[in-house]
Amino acid sequence: MTVEGSALLDRAKAWLAEDPDPETRDELAGIIEAGDLAELEDRFSGTLQFGTAGLRGELGAGPMRMNRAVVVRAAAGLAAYLKGKGQGDGLVVIGYDARHKSADFARDTAAVMVGAGLRAAVLPRPLPTPVLAFAIRHLGAVAGVEVTASHNPPRDNGYKVYLGDGSQIVPPADAEIAGEIAAVKSLADVARPEAGWETLDDSVLEAYLARTDAVLAPGSPRTARAVYTAMHGVGKETLLAAFARAGFPEPVLVPEQAEPDPDFPTVAFPNPEEPGAMDLSFATAGSLAEAPDLIIANDPDADRCAVAVADGSGWRMLRGDEVGALLAAHLVKRGATGVLAESIVSSSLLGRIAEAASLPYAETLTGFKWIARVEGLRYGYEEALGYCVDPEGVRDKDGITAALLVTELASELKERGRTLLDALDDLALAHGLHATDQLSVRVEDLSVIADAMRRLREAPPAVLAGLAVTSAEDLSQGAGGLPPTDGLRYTLDGARVIVRPSGTEPKLKCYLEVVVPVADRGGLAAARARATELLAALKRDLSTSAGI
């Protein structure tokens, strides 16, 4: 055996000796016994990196996987960070979803916090991520942890960290916590008592549900009928309770996806945006004697909300940008004041809506960790189905309250014999047709993404879809007053393109937007056809330029 192979085996055996989980110990012991150096190299080539998304990765043994040993180190690093900030006697509240190992990771986190001298409280069962985000501020916690991998594949789990303001961590807190995690030399140094933390009752959930009432206008119509899927996640009970409190008709459930199931058996990826994920919802809607007014889907931890509407003889998923604009216009019509904010990859239509209403507007980097920090925020969204409609209650995206608000809008339109599609037409007539799409490439080899970004930086396109590129910005240098981030932004005559690596998945994401003027309602069909043509050409030309 080579010196490198011997050192790799020594690292694996040292990890095995302190792994607290019998399952991953057995897994790793089998790999060591088989002498599978390639597999060990994959698991011990480094460590999962703690960043502004916290941790996320595939379950399994070793420092490059999500497991109890990695979580204990992460919790110890967070505890050390909080103590270093003078919050060593503060409360840390912990939530978790229904994925494999989530309850174990939550319990380990609570034990580490108590062992470090902090107080810890764990939500009573798997609940939506926005309930945890709400609980942090409601309970006056100094930090919160949500164990979830959101809409990632079944083999993944993750670890999302919030600070006491109820928002997800941003730099420099992420690097400081990562430094404390790296300083943990051995799990034997981390105290983990068997008890001492609190398991919360339903009072926090009840307080969250009471707060959901605030997103609706008193006396507004509540007549829209919905089909709902929880996508095998944890949203069902909370959403049904919120809808019942609000007085909406009880949503019809997609039975195959209603209950939590960490294996997500009916979908390739448990993300409403993925092809095929909504097929069972469409089938359920089509089976009803009376067609519903809309279909609502949450992702597995219920912080995202997808909406589909009847379109001719079938159902059409609305893009996140379409729902984002509809909710903004609805709030503006209700007299909302404050800042409307979105991420840079979302549609510029929100800025037009804000300008027309004489409301302040802000653009942030991708992620609600940035949107939630906008001073004076009234409403924020990003195109990946995330909407913050009650920032005073939840400073994060919230798929439950977003579902309530879009159902209120659908009800108001229904009372006037109109639909969400009619409302989108109104926005196109008022501001021009803003059409968005995404070119998303999932890779096995991350070097494919790095190569594409390098190619675009070295030879930025001058023309895309026949439109001249009027400016090319490297967002890693900072742009428009935003912090540096790995991304590229191209402004064209009547279009915009942003290219960036995903922060949570092995994907290269390209966000496309075209704006087509519309003179009158009779011109809508031609404008849509032109937008479809331009978006297809943008995808084709950008793929060529990036070599993907």
Side-chain angles (χ1 to χ4, degrees), residues 55-186:
L55 293 167
R56 196 174 291 187
E58 185 177 347
L59 290 162
M64 289 294 289
R65 299 286 190 269
M66 281 295 298
N67 51 65
R68 291 181 61 195
V70 164
V71 165
V72 167
R73 283 181 165 83
L78 175 59
Y81 168 84
L82 293 171
K83 292 171 78 171
K85 297 294 182 182
Q87 298 175 321
D89 60 349
L91 172 68
V92 178
V93 61
I94 303 151
Y96 59 103
D97 67 10
R99 284 178 177 265
H100 293 295
K101 296 292 183 181
S102 286
D104 293 337
F105 295 168
R107 185 171 57 251
D108 283 334
T109 300
V112 171
M113 294 302 159
V114 171
L118 289 110
R119 293 175 291 127
V122 182
L123 293 182
R125 59 186 174 279
L127 287 168
T129 291
V131 177
L132 181 276
F134 167 83
I136 294 165
R137 299 179 70 209
H138 178 70
L139 297 174
V142 297
V145 171
E146 176 70 17
V147 180
T148 181
S150 188
H151 56 277
N152 275 38
R155 64 179 182 271
D156 289 358
N157 212 328
Y159 198 80
K160 187 183 294 187
V161 176
Y162 299 73
L163 294 183
D165 62 356
S167 299
Q168 296 176 51
I169 53 170
V170 295
D174 57 342
E176 293 173 10
I177 295 171
E180 296 288 359
I181 295 171
V184 178
K185 300 305 180 188
S186 169

Side-chain angles (χ1 to χ4, degrees), residues 429-494:
L429 291 169
H431 307 290
L433 177 68
H434 289 62
T436 59
D437 203 352
Q438 187 179 130
L439 173 63
S440 181
V441 181
R442 186 182 293 272
V443 302
E444 294 293 331
D445 181 358
L446 291 177
S447 69
V448 173
I449 295 175
D451 288 345
M453 296 298 290
R454 176 185 50 77
R455 189 176 290 109
L456 289 170
R457 284 190 166 101
E458 291 176 354
V463 176
L464 292 169
L467 304 174
V469 177
T470 57
S471 75
E473 300 168 278
D474 188 341
L475 301 178
S476 68
Q477 307 302 311
L482 297 172
T485 187
D486 187 10
L488 300 164
R489 176 164 58 184
Y490 304 112
T491 303
L492 298 84
D493 185 14

Side-chain angles (χ1 to χ4, degrees), residues 268-346:
F269 293 95
N271 179 353
E273 293 179 293
E274 293 283 349
M278 295 291 288
D279 287 355
L280 285 172
S281 300
F282 299 157
T284 299
S287 71
L288 299 177
E290 182 181 350
D293 300 294
L294 71 168
I295 296 172
I296 293 168
N298 285 140
D299 66 338
D301 69 326
D303 62 352
R304 289 173 170 83
C305 175
V307 179
V309 293
D311 184 13
S313 59
W315 288 86
R316 175 167 84 83
M317 269 277 290
L318 297 183
R319 301 197 67 83
D321 284 316
E322 292 176 312
V323 176
L326 286 170
L327 293 181
H330 180 50
L331 289 171
V332 166
K333 185 179 178 182
R334 278 181 21 187
T337 59
V339 181
L340 306 186
E342 64 180 340
S343 60
I344 57 172
V345 299
S346 303

Side-chain angles (χ1 to χ4, degrees), residues 415-440:
E415 295 298 296
R416 293 184 280 128
R418 308 187 79 230
T419 68
L420 293 173
L421 293 180
D422 294 323
L424 285 172
D425 287 348
D426 294 344
L427 289 173
L429 291 169
H431 307 290
L433 177 68
H434 289 62
T436 59
D437 203 352
Q438 187 179 130
L439 173 63
S440 181

